[in-house]
Amino acid sequence: MHGVNLHDLLPIPYTQEVLDHVVERVSQVQDFLGRRLTLENVSSYVGQSEMTEWEFVSEVANRADCRLLFDVNNVYVSAFNHGFAAGDFLNGVPRDRVVQFHVAGHSHEESHIIDTHDHPVCDEVWSFIAPRSPISARSRP
């Protein structure tokens, strides 16, 4: 934007109006293609919203009947940048919608983290996967 690399998608507000719009668009594309889409949660750096990101992502997945590519590093990045507990996000998404995990490294600045994929995956991100894995949860009796 204006010659500056923002490294990522610009945030959308997590509001009812935007939720309804996204659900409608995802549904239209799925209907056209005749198959379900898989959407990824993004990392965010700024923004004000009416609901949490995990509430928004969950509602999109459930109402549009789509699947989730769950980016664990993006949860870590957003949690740091916005000051929420990553575990709330990890426990707040519908596990039956998650079909794939993604992990990557990030750049840790003093006041924020940027999802740059230019560093090794940190131990904190790795620690989120095993105990909360929807794949592991499905295999348990």
Side-chain angles (χ1 to χ4, degrees), residues 2-124:
H2 305 292
V4 176
N5 182 354
L6 298 175
H7 293 285
D8 218 322
L9 303 172
L10 295 175
I12 60 173
Y14 301 125
T15 65
Q16 190 62 49
E17 179 182 5
V18 173
L19 175 64
D20 293 341
H21 178 79
V22 171
V23 167
E24 180 181 339
R25 294 300 185 263
V26 171
S27 297
Q28 286 176 344
V29 172
Q30 290 181 141
D31 290 345
F32 178 79
L33 295 174
R35 64 184 330 161
R36 288 194 297 170
L37 293 177
T38 301
L39 305 179
E40 178 179 351
N41 58 297
V42 298
S43 54
S44 61
Y45 311 100
V46 297
Q48 292 186 335
S49 299
E50 297 171 0
M51 61 187 80
T52 65
E53 183 180 355
W54 57 93
E55 290 168 334
F56 186 89
V57 168
S58 297
E59 279 296 306
V60 169
N62 288 327
R63 287 179 44 196
D65 192 26
C66 64
R67 300 175 300 185
L68 298 174
L69 184 162
F70 197 70
D71 191 318
V72 181
N73 186 64
N74 286 352
V75 171
Y76 182 79
V77 168
S78 294
F80 181 90
N81 291 339
H82 298 291
F84 63 79
D88 292 343
F89 195 126
L90 294 167
N91 292 319
V93 296
R95 293 175 182 232
D96 61 326
R97 298 283 178 182
V98 177
V99 295
Q100 185 175 342
F101 288 106
H102 173 76
V103 295
H106 53 261
S107 294
H108 198 300
E109 307 300 329
E110 289 184 31
S111 63
H112 60 284
I113 298 175
I114 300 174
D115 181 37
T116 54
H117 292 211
D118 63 349
H119 287 80
V121 177
C122 70
D123 290 340
E124 292 89 348

